[in-house]
Amino acid sequence: MNNLKTSTAMLAGYRVLDLSDNKAYTCGRFLASLGAEVIKVEKPNCSGGQSEFALPAAKWLANNVGKKCITLNLEHEKGREIFGQLATKVEFIIESYKPGFMKEIGFDYPQLQKLNAGIILISISPFGQTGPYSQFLGGELVASGMGGTLDTCGYPDDTPVLEALDACIFHANAAASLGAMLAHRERGISGIGQYVDCSIQE
């Protein structure tokens, strides 16, 4: 793999492609903290993480600490070709696109497994990849409200209060990271990867 393999960190020597936006930045950060080499894939001209969900620079840096960064346009044929090559050289991929996008560009989990049988694909989205709400948009406030967390904060006779920071997104990323590590452990036995689908609302 790389020179990280000499480290005692749990994921030393393993590589991650992080295709996420702010709904899933933290998952890659967790894997980086475990020793993985995390490569953040940004759209060209995105100004350091300033995607459709704009983040202050300090917040972007805090959630992407420990990662390397490249730009790649997955909506372009050449970009998809390069991504396919990269997918054969990594053990994990994190994505937070709208459900169905990875299939549209030819890189849903079955296709990725053909390229790399051991790949672990981690998808983090507002409502998961399937079901009646899967195509709905949503962020922290929507997940907190529809997940029930918002109902538990504040006073009963006053307006609901959102938890500090992005608590629901943070916990979803922690759950996705745990799922990825369980899949990683099983891969050590079978050699086969898995698909981790995490709904922020759930």
Side-chain angles (χ1 to χ4, degrees), residues 34-49:
L34 293 173
E37 180 183 15
V38 180
I39 302 162
K40 181 79 182 73
V41 180
E42 292 279 7
K43 297 177 182 177
N45 304 314
C46 69
S47 302

Side-chain angles (χ1 to χ4, degrees), residues 91-141:
E91 288 76 33
F92 300 87
I93 294 175
I94 305 167
E95 66 91 13
S96 57
Y97 291 108
K98 190 172 182 178
F101 176 78
M102 293 297 284
K103 185 174 184 177
E104 286 176 18
I105 64 170
F107 291 108
D108 60 353
Y109 185 62
Q111 291 301 317
L112 285 169
Q113 267 212 314
K114 289 178 182 177
L115 295 174
N116 182 347
I119 198 75
I120 293 172
L121 176 62
I122 307 156
S123 293
I124 302 173
S125 60
F127 298 100
Q129 299 296 302
T130 59
Y133 298 148
S134 63
Q135 295 300 307
F136 287 12
L137 300 178
E140 178 65 25
L141 181 60

Side-chain angles (χ1 to χ4, degrees), residues 138-146 150 162 166 169:
E140 178 65 25
L141 181 60
V142 172
S144 182
M146 293 189 71
L150 197 61
L162 191 64
D166 293 332
I169 289 175

Side-chain angles (χ1 to χ4, degrees), residues 176-190:
S177 301
L178 175 59
M181 292 306 294
L182 290 170
H184 174 58
R185 182 183 185 279
E186 204 283 328
R187 176 175 58 189
I189 300 169
S190 68

Side-chain angles (χ1 to χ4, degrees), residues 26 28 56 62 66 68 74 95 133 150 157 159 171-172:
T26 312
K68 297 177 179 179
L74 295 180
E95 66 91 13
Y133 298 148
L150 197 61
D157 59 346
T159 55
H171 288 114

Side-chain angles (χ1 to χ4, degrees), residues 6-95:
T6 58
S7 169
T8 57
M10 192 177 299
L11 290 181
Y14 293 90
R15 292 192 180 105
V16 181
L17 279 181
D18 183 352
L19 310 176
S20 68
D21 63 8
N22 63 320
K23 293 187 295 296
Y25 284 154
T26 312
C27 182
R29 179 184 171 188
F30 286 149
L31 299 186
S33 72
L34 293 173
E37 180 183 15
V38 180
I39 302 162
K40 181 79 182 73
V41 180
E42 292 279 7
K43 297 177 182 177
N45 304 314
C46 69
S47 302
Q50 303 298 321
S51 61
E52 64 220 74
F53 301 102
L55 288 177
K59 189 173 183 180
W60 187 91
L61 289 170
N63 282 285
N64 289 288
V65 66
K67 302 178 187 179
K68 297 177 179 179
C69 199
I70 63 171
T71 59
L72 197 61
N73 187 355
L74 295 180
E75 296 178 17
H76 190 277
E77 184 179 350
K78 184 64 177 177
R80 292 193 294 272
E81 180 185 334
I82 294 170
F83 177 75
Q85 294 169 0
L86 292 172
T88 67
K89 303 177 187 300
V90 301
E91 288 76 33
F92 300 87
I93 294 175
I94 305 167
E95 66 91 13

